[in-house]
Amino acid sequence: MRLLVTGGRTGYLGRHVVRRALDAGLDVVAVGSLDADLRDAAAVEGLVARHRPDAIVHTAYVQADWAVTATGAAHVATSAARHGARLVLVSSDVVFSGADGRYDESAPPDPITAYGAAKAAAETTALAVCPDVVVARTSLILGDGDSQHERLVHQLVATGSGALFEDERRCPVHVEDLADALVELAGSDRQGVIHVAGADPMSRFALGRLIARRDGLDPGALRATTRAAAKVAGPVDVRLDSTVASRVLTTRLRGATEFLS
């Protein structure tokens, strides 16, 4: 199987997907922004036509750029459909407001941030135009020591400034578990939405303490705050229910308590 991975050159998740796919013996094409501007439909079409992948894992996004995150995903989905390629679209738990707390695949998106709205739009378009698509919603991605979450904890401990939200609950996932799950989904016949997140709901503050303890730092150096106190908009309680993934995938999605121990 030839697998095309957007964000596969420099993206944090994309690079891991490329590595795990190569380990699985797949023919992998890693592409980045220098290969095609996702905002340009003709450029995306040319990329897919040139490489003729059997499947595409779309990890690329720019959080503050609707044109990349939403419109770019639409271009990828349209080209995948035109060339008969399977699409694995990586989405996020931020498509939800957090009002309901726990979310399974049947929950309708109700984003409250621009990034969440862009991800929800990407999902809607992909599901509408691509016959063979699976939307993989996930949560905070970390685990190898090089994620933005892990680097932030080191910075906070070193500087003694800043704080982590103690009121926001998410389901952190190990980047390699997620990459393995995405590669597995690319080779499966699963369609529609599936939640692919870690097993343990926890706050960013609790997550930070686990990271600090694993890395030999002082967890007591971290300070806690809330979204309201920090005046930062965003969902507070978004716990993805990944029961379906645990049933249909061979990849085991560990909780942060386990993979950061």
Side-chain angles (χ1 to χ4, degrees):
M1 179 174 71
R2 169 166 282 194
L3 184 68
L4 187 149
V5 182
T6 67
R9 290 190 183 274
T10 59
Y12 176 62
L13 174 59
R15 287 184 285 110
H16 280 273
V17 172
V18 168
R19 190 175 305 122
R20 305 301 276 191
L22 289 172
D23 289 345
L26 302 185
D27 177 12
V28 183
V29 178
V31 298
S33 58
L34 295 180
D35 300 290
D37 183 347
L38 295 180
R39 299 168 296 182
D40 184 337
V44 174
E45 170 64 18
L47 180 75
V48 176
R50 183 164 64 254
H51 292 292
R52 308 291 295 190
D54 299 297
I56 300 171
V57 176
H58 181 53
T59 74
Y61 74 99
V62 175
Q63 187 164 327
D65 193 330
W66 178 282
V68 173
T69 302
T71 308
H75 293 157
V76 172
T78 301
S79 291
R82 184 176 292 118
H83 293 279
R86 175 166 171 76
L87 175 61
V88 180
L89 175 72
V90 180
S91 190
S92 169
D93 54 5
V94 296
V95 301
F96 298 119
S97 68
D100 292 336
R102 191 168 186 85
Y103 294 87
D104 65 15
E105 287 82 356
S106 67
D110 60 340
I112 57 174
T113 64
Y115 175 52
K119 280 294 192 181
E123 290 186 6
T124 300
T125 305
L127 291 166
V129 306
C130 192
D132 190 11
V133 60
V134 59
V135 172
R137 292 188 187 128
T138 193
S139 188
L140 304 176
I141 307 169
L142 67 153
D144 68 343
D146 195 39
S147 71
Q148 63 176 355
H149 312 291
E150 290 157 294
R151 286 186 275 110
L152 175 61
V153 168
H154 280 248
Q155 177 186 335
L156 293 178
V157 171
T159 62
S161 62
L164 297 168
F165 299 135
E166 63 179 349
D167 60 337
E168 178 191 283
R169 285 199 290 176
R170 310 278 287 278
C171 293
V173 65
H174 195 291
V175 63
E176 291 185 355
D177 294 350
L178 178 57
D180 285 341
L182 296 174
V183 172
E184 184 177 349
L185 286 168
S188 76
D189 58 2
R190 183 82 190 177
Q191 294 179 342
V193 177
I194 188 168
H195 290 176
V196 189
D200 300 335
M202 65 177 57
S203 70
R204 286 182 186 264
F205 179 63
L207 179 64
R209 289 177 64 86
L210 286 177
I211 292 168
R213 191 172 293 113
R214 180 202 62 183
D215 295 346
L217 305 175
D218 178 13
L222 295 172
R223 295 190 294 114
T225 188
T226 64
R227 278 194 173 272
K231 297 181 179 179
V232 177
V236 171
D237 187 4
V238 184
R239 290 163 283 150
L240 292 185
D241 183 343
S242 298
T243 302
V244 173
S246 67
R247 187 174 70 246
V248 303
L249 298 178
T250 61
T251 301
R252 190 168 75 88
L253 300 167
R254 294 168 290 170
T257 303
E258 178 182 350
F259 69 72
L260 291 175
S261 63

Short mmCIF file of all heavy atoms in Angstrom, two decimals, residues 95-124:
data_model
loop_
_atom_site.label_atom_id
_atom_site.label_comp_id
_atom_site.label_asym_id
_atom_site.label_seq_id
_atom_site.Cartn_x
_atom_site.Cartn_y
_atom_site.Cartn_z
N VAL A 95 -13.59 20.03 18.58
CA VAL A 95 -14.84 20.21 17.85
C VAL A 95 -16.02 20.24 18.83
O VAL A 95 -17.15 20.56 18.44
CB VAL A 95 -15.07 19.13 16.78
CG1 VAL A 95 -13.94 19.13 15.77
CG2 VAL A 95 -15.25 17.75 17.41
N PHE A 96 -15.76 19.92 20.10
CA PHE A 96 -16.81 19.92 21.12
C PHE A 96 -16.63 21.09 22.09
O PHE A 96 -15.51 21.52 22.36
CB PHE A 96 -16.79 18.61 21.90
CG PHE A 96 -17.06 17.40 21.05
CD1 PHE A 96 -16.12 16.38 20.92
CD2 PHE A 96 -18.26 17.26 20.36
CE1 PHE A 96 -16.36 15.27 20.14
CE2 PHE A 96 -18.51 16.14 19.58
CZ PHE A 96 -17.57 15.15 19.46
N SER A 97 -17.76 21.54 22.64
CA SER A 97 -17.74 22.68 23.56
C SER A 97 -17.31 22.30 24.97
O SER A 97 -16.86 23.15 25.73
CB SER A 97 -19.14 23.31 23.63
OG SER A 97 -20.05 22.42 24.28
N GLY A 98 -17.49 21.04 25.33
CA GLY A 98 -17.22 20.61 26.69
C GLY A 98 -18.44 20.65 27.59
O GLY A 98 -18.36 20.27 28.76
N ALA A 99 -19.57 21.08 27.05
CA ALA A 99 -20.78 21.20 27.88
C ALA A 99 -21.28 19.85 28.37
O ALA A 99 -21.87 19.76 29.45
CB ALA A 99 -21.88 21.91 27.09
N ASP A 100 -21.04 18.79 27.58
CA ASP A 100 -21.56 17.47 27.93
C ASP A 100 -20.54 16.59 28.63
O ASP A 100 -20.88 15.51 29.11
CB ASP A 100 -22.08 16.75 26.69
CG ASP A 100 -23.32 17.42 26.11
OD1 ASP A 100 -24.02 18.10 26.89
OD2 ASP A 100 -23.57 17.27 24.90
N GLY A 101 -19.28 16.99 28.68
CA GLY A 101 -18.26 16.22 29.39
C GLY A 101 -17.73 15.05 28.60
O GLY A 101 -16.62 15.08 28.09
N ARG A 102 -18.52 14.00 28.49
CA ARG A 102 -18.06 12.78 27.82
C ARG A 102 -18.72 12.69 26.43
O ARG A 102 -19.92 12.89 26.30
CB ARG A 102 -18.41 11.55 28.65
CG ARG A 102 -17.73 10.27 28.16
CD ARG A 102 -17.88 9.14 29.20
NE ARG A 102 -17.13 7.96 28.81
CZ ARG A 102 -15.85 7.77 29.05
NH1 ARG A 102 -15.16 8.68 29.70
NH2 ARG A 102 -15.24 6.67 28.68
N TYR A 103 -17.91 12.36 25.43
CA TYR A 103 -18.39 12.37 24.05
C TYR A 103 -18.03 11.07 23.33
O TYR A 103 -16.87 10.68 23.28
CB TYR A 103 -17.75 13.54 23.28
CG TYR A 103 -18.18 14.90 23.77
CD1 TYR A 103 -17.49 15.51 24.81
CD2 TYR A 103 -19.25 15.57 23.20
CE1 TYR A 103 -17.87 16.76 25.28
CE2 TYR A 103 -19.63 16.83 23.66
CZ TYR A 103 -18.94 17.42 24.70
OH TYR A 103 -19.32 18.65 25.16
N ASP A 104 -19.05 10.42 22.76
CA ASP A 104 -18.78 9.30 21.87
C ASP A 104 -18.96 9.77 20.43
O ASP A 104 -19.20 10.97 20.17
CB ASP A 104 -19.66 8.09 22.20
CG ASP A 104 -21.14 8.34 21.96
OD1 ASP A 104 -21.50 9.34 21.27
OD2 ASP A 104 -21.96 7.54 22.44
N GLU A 105 -18.85 8.85 19.49
CA GLU A 105 -18.85 9.22 18.07
C GLU A 105 -20.18 9.79 17.59
O GLU A 105 -20.23 10.45 16.54
CB GLU A 105 -18.45 8.01 17.22
CG GLU A 105 -16.99 7.63 17.29
CD GLU A 105 -16.62 6.77 18.49
OE1 GLU A 105 -17.51 6.52 19.34
OE2 GLU A 105 -15.46 6.35 18.59
N SER A 106 -21.25 9.54 18.32
CA SER A 106 -22.56 10.03 17.88
C SER A 106 -22.80 11.49 18.27
O SER A 106 -23.76 12.10 17.81
CB SER A 106 -23.67 9.17 18.49
OG SER A 106 -23.73 9.34 19.90
N ALA A 107 -21.94 12.06 19.09
CA ALA A 107 -22.14 13.44 19.57
C ALA A 107 -21.91 14.43 18.43
O ALA A 107 -20.88 14.37 17.75
CB ALA A 107 -21.19 13.74 20.72
N PRO A 108 -22.83 15.37 18.22
CA PRO A 108 -22.64 16.37 17.16
C PRO A 108 -21.64 17.43 17.58
O PRO A 108 -21.65 17.88 18.74
CB PRO A 108 -24.04 16.98 17.00
CG PRO A 108 -24.67 16.80 18.34
CD PRO A 108 -24.14 15.52 18.90
N PRO A 109 -20.76 17.84 16.68
CA PRO A 109 -19.81 18.91 17.01
C PRO A 109 -20.53 20.20 17.40
O PRO A 109 -21.55 20.55 16.81
CB PRO A 109 -19.02 19.08 15.71
CG PRO A 109 -19.12 17.76 15.03
CD PRO A 109 -20.51 17.28 15.34
N ASP A 110 -19.99 20.88 18.39
CA ASP A 110 -20.51 22.19 18.81
C ASP A 110 -19.34 23.06 19.26
O ASP A 110 -19.25 23.45 20.42
CB ASP A 110 -21.56 22.05 19.91
CG ASP A 110 -21.02 21.39 21.18
OD1 ASP A 110 -19.97 20.70 21.09
OD2 ASP A 110 -21.61 21.56 22.25
N PRO A 111 -18.44 23.39 18.33
CA PRO A 111 -17.21 24.10 18.71
C PRO A 111 -17.48 25.50 19.24
O PRO A 111 -18.45 26.15 18.87
CB PRO A 111 -16.43 24.16 17.38
CG PRO A 111 -17.49 24.10 16.33
CD PRO A 111 -18.54 23.18 16.87
N ILE A 112 -16.56 25.94 20.12
CA ILE A 112 -16.67 27.29 20.68
C ILE A 112 -15.41 28.12 20.41
O ILE A 112 -15.28 29.23 20.93
CB ILE A 112 -16.95 27.25 22.20
CG1 ILE A 112 -15.87 26.48 22.95
CG2 ILE A 112 -18.32 26.66 22.47
CD1 ILE A 112 -16.02 26.53 24.47
N THR A 113 -14.49 27.58 19.62
CA THR A 113 -13.29 28.33 19.22
C THR A 113 -13.16 28.28 17.70
O THR A 113 -13.74 27.41 17.04
CB THR A 113 -12.01 27.74 19.82
OG1 THR A 113 -11.81 26.40 19.30
CG2 THR A 113 -12.09 27.68 21.35
N ALA A 114 -12.40 29.21 17.14
CA ALA A 114 -12.20 29.24 15.69
C ALA A 114 -11.50 27.97 15.21
O ALA A 114 -11.84 27.43 14.15
CB ALA A 114 -11.38 30.48 15.32
N TYR A 115 -10.53 27.49 15.97
CA TYR A 115 -9.84 26.26 15.58
C TYR A 115 -10.80 25.07 15.61
O TYR A 115 -10.80 24.24 14.70
CB TYR A 115 -8.65 26.02 16.52
CG TYR A 115 -7.93 24.72 16.29
CD1 TYR A 115 -7.48 24.35 15.03
CD2 TYR A 115 -7.69 23.84 17.36
CE1 TYR A 115 -6.81 23.16 14.83
CE2 TYR A 115 -7.02 22.65 17.16
CZ TYR A 115 -6.59 22.31 15.90
OH TYR A 115 -5.94 21.11 15.69
N GLY A 116 -11.62 24.99 16.65
CA GLY A 116 -12.60 23.92 16.71
C GLY A 116 -13.56 23.98 15.54
O GLY A 116 -13.94 22.94 14.96
N ALA A 117 -13.98 25.18 15.16
CA ALA A 117 -14.88 25.34 14.02
C ALA A 117 -14.21 24.91 12.73
O ALA A 117 -14.84 24.30 11.85
CB ALA A 117 -15.34 26.79 13.92
N ALA A 118 -12.93 25.22 12.57
CA ALA A 118 -12.20 24.81 11.37
C ALA A 118 -12.10 23.30 11.28
O ALA A 118 -12.26 22.70 10.20
CB ALA A 118 -10.81 25.44 11.37
N LYS A 119 -11.82 22.65 12.40
CA LYS A 119 -11.74 21.18 12.42
C LYS A 119 -13.12 20.57 12.12
O LYS A 119 -13.22 19.57 11.40
CB LYS A 119 -11.22 20.70 13.76
CG LYS A 119 -9.70 20.79 13.92
CD LYS A 119 -9.02 19.83 12.96
CE LYS A 119 -7.53 19.67 13.28
NZ LYS A 119 -6.86 18.74 12.34
N ALA A 120 -14.18 21.16 12.68
CA ALA A 120 -15.53 20.65 12.43
C ALA A 120 -15.89 20.80 10.95
O ALA A 120 -16.51 19.91 10.35
CB ALA A 120 -16.54 21.38 13.30
N ALA A 121 -15.49 21.92 10.34
CA ALA A 121 -15.75 22.12 8.92
C ALA A 121 -14.99 21.11 8.07
O ALA A 121 -15.52 20.58 7.09
CB ALA A 121 -15.35 23.54 8.52
N ALA A 122 -13.74 20.83 8.47
CA ALA A 122 -12.95 19.83 7.75
C ALA A 122 -13.62 18.46 7.80
O ALA A 122 -13.70 17.75 6.80
CB ALA A 122 -11.54 19.76 8.34
N GLU A 123 -14.11 18.10 8.99
CA GLU A 123 -14.82 16.83 9.14
C GLU A 123 -16.04 16.77 8.23
O GLU A 123 -16.25 15.77 7.51
CB GLU A 123 -15.31 16.66 10.58
CG GLU A 123 -14.23 16.42 11.61
CD GLU A 123 -14.84 16.13 12.97
OE1 GLU A 123 -16.07 16.00 13.08
OE2 GLU A 123 -14.07 16.04 13.94
N THR A 124 -16.85 17.81 8.26
CA THR A 124 -18.09 17.83 7.50
C THR A 124 -17.85 17.65 6.01
O THR A 124 -18.52 16.85 5.34
CB THR A 124 -18.84 19.15 7.75
OG1 THR A 124 -19.14 19.27 9.14
CG2 THR A 124 -20.14 19.20 6.96
#
